[in-house]
Amino acid sequence: MQNAALARLGLDWRYLAFEVHPDDLREVIQGAKRMKFIGLNLTVPHKLLAIPMMDALDETAKTWGAVNTVRFEAQNTEGNWQPLRHFKESVPREIRAQGFNTDADAITRSLREDLGVKLEGAKVLLLGAGGAGRVAALKLASEGVAELFLVNRTMDKAEAIAAEIRARFPKVKTTVGYPKPPAMALDLLLNATSLGLKPGDGSPLDTGKFDLKNARAVYDMIYNPAETALLKTAREAGCRTANGLGMLLYQGARALELWTGETAPVDVMREALVKHIYGH
Ligand code: ATR
């Protein structure tokens, strides 16, 4: 999707994938800086490890405690830090790495644009309390959901996130576990577990504890397969559904905007993603 976007923007840049051992991350970031890379994306497990390796952290990285986008910057003649794209002739020797997080905004953009969910005042059941689940829970709380139910196989992790939300967003009613009977209608059920990624995986939802008929919309962060067991049963129960392709798309679109300073050609990027992932 990035290379399709770069072609559309007429930039002679390339987006490449590198497999990096966590022990080598610091050296790799330093090397990219020295080679005057425009920027980087980081994924598991580098998003947390990179925090102390950044020379500056944008508010998004501070707020969500993770870096998925790095932008290399240098100072212009007025001493202001600018993306490297800004330097047409020669790049100053001193370069800094600024860390951003574009994942959190991508979650809510996808929920709004791909699923049509209104988050303010919503009641939400969130499955999963790993890295993605934590950011989703905090981001939903920051958007003013009314009530959050947090469910995770390892309950302690859900408890820890609930405590963080109570401290940072006390207006949000946060409960660990499924809604108790009588059945309550929820605006959104969101899967942030990795259950559903592998062929033969079941659903992360305990249908004995929550009936999908009581959810208006269901979002699965997993985008491959396109329809997980959870999304299939949700669709059959009459829920609106969407998978995590939009999250992947929007975090990438925002990263591209940070590097280029231009509006991302989202349609071109979506088309490239769909073609690459689903082959059509
Ligand atoms: P990510 O960065 O994608 O969030 P993660 O931090 O490893 O990855 O989190 C994975 C999430 O999927 C966790 O909520 C995990 O539950 P635990 O906290 O109990 O480990 C959940 N998960 C993974 N495999 C699962 C399974 N077989 N059944 C239920 N939940 C599962």
Side-chain angles (χ1 to χ4, degrees), residues 2-277:
Q2 296 292 3
N3 285 321
L6 293 174
R8 170 58 62 96
L9 295 178
L11 289 165
D12 63 347
W13 303 358
R14 294 292 181 277
Y15 187 93
L16 300 166
F18 299 96
E19 195 173 327
V20 173
H21 191 280
D23 290 349
D24 300 330
L25 184 61
R26 188 178 287 278
E27 271 179 86
V28 163
I29 292 172
Q30 204 53 27
K33 190 192 273 185
R34 283 286 150 252
M35 289 189 285
K36 306 186 182 74
F37 276 35
I38 292 288
L40 301 169
N41 277 138
L42 304 173
T43 188
V44 179
H46 302 301
K47 294 184 195 190
L48 303 179
L49 297 174
I51 293 260
M53 300 175 191
M54 295 292 110
D55 304 306
L57 287 174
D58 177 66
E59 276 308 310
T60 51
K62 287 187 199 155
T63 305
W64 309 114
V67 168
N68 79 317
T69 302
V70 179
R71 184 170 74 188
F72 294 109
E73 302 170 345
Q75 282 169 298
N76 64 12
T77 45
E78 288 87 54
N80 300 319
W81 291 99
Q82 299 288 338
L84 288 199
R85 185 183 186 191
H86 182 87
F87 300 87
K88 299 276 186 285
E89 306 288 295
S90 69
V91 178
R93 178 146 169 84
E94 191 190 349
I95 294 173
R96 75 172 190 182
Q98 178 162 205
F100 296 79
N101 184 304
T102 70
D103 286 327
D105 282 354
I107 299 171
T108 43
R109 182 170 175 191
S110 187
L111 290 173
R112 290 200 172 97
E113 293 187 20
D114 304 328
L115 199 52
V117 175
K118 184 179 171 289
L119 294 169
E120 299 74 17
K123 293 192 175 98
V124 180
L125 170 57
L126 175 65
L127 309 176
R134 178 183 165 273
V135 172
L138 290 165
K139 176 68 178 169
L140 290 170
S142 80
E143 296 282 325
V145 298
E147 205 162 352
L148 260 180
F149 296 90
L150 303 178
V151 168
N152 194 46
R153 178 177 59 180
T154 314
M155 276 300 186
D156 287 3
K157 283 159 77 181
E159 292 285 1
I161 295 172
E164 196 176 350
I165 292 173
R166 287 182 195 118
R168 285 172 69 175
F169 307 100
K171 283 196 194 133
V172 179
K173 192 167 174 226
T174 310
T175 309
V176 173
Y178 287 94
K180 296 252 165 10
M184 171 195 285
L186 297 182
D187 301 288
L188 172 66
L189 187 157
L190 172 57
N191 176 43
T193 77
S194 48
L195 195 59
L197 267 175
K198 294 193 288 293
D201 269 359
S203 165
L205 179 73
D206 183 343
T207 46
K209 298 210 171 118
F210 183 81
D211 185 344
L212 278 167
K213 289 198 175 65
N214 295 315
R216 294 194 178 94
V218 177
Y219 190 95
D220 199 328
M221 286 196 183
I222 295 169
Y223 55 83
N224 197 13
E227 190 175 63
T228 55
L230 171 67
L231 286 186
K232 182 170 186 286
T233 42
R235 178 172 53 79
E236 288 164 357
C239 313
R240 299 197 313 282
T241 59
N243 73 21
L245 192 84
M247 266 182 67
L248 176 64
L249 170 65
Y250 300 131
Q251 64 75 31
R254 181 67 194 128
L256 185 79
E257 292 178 347
L258 290 169
W259 298 321
T260 63
E262 295 188 48
T263 304
V266 174
D267 292 343
V268 170
M269 296 176 81
R270 188 191 303 269
E271 198 184 320
L273 262 188
V274 167
K275 202 165 166 187
H276 195 82
I277 296 169

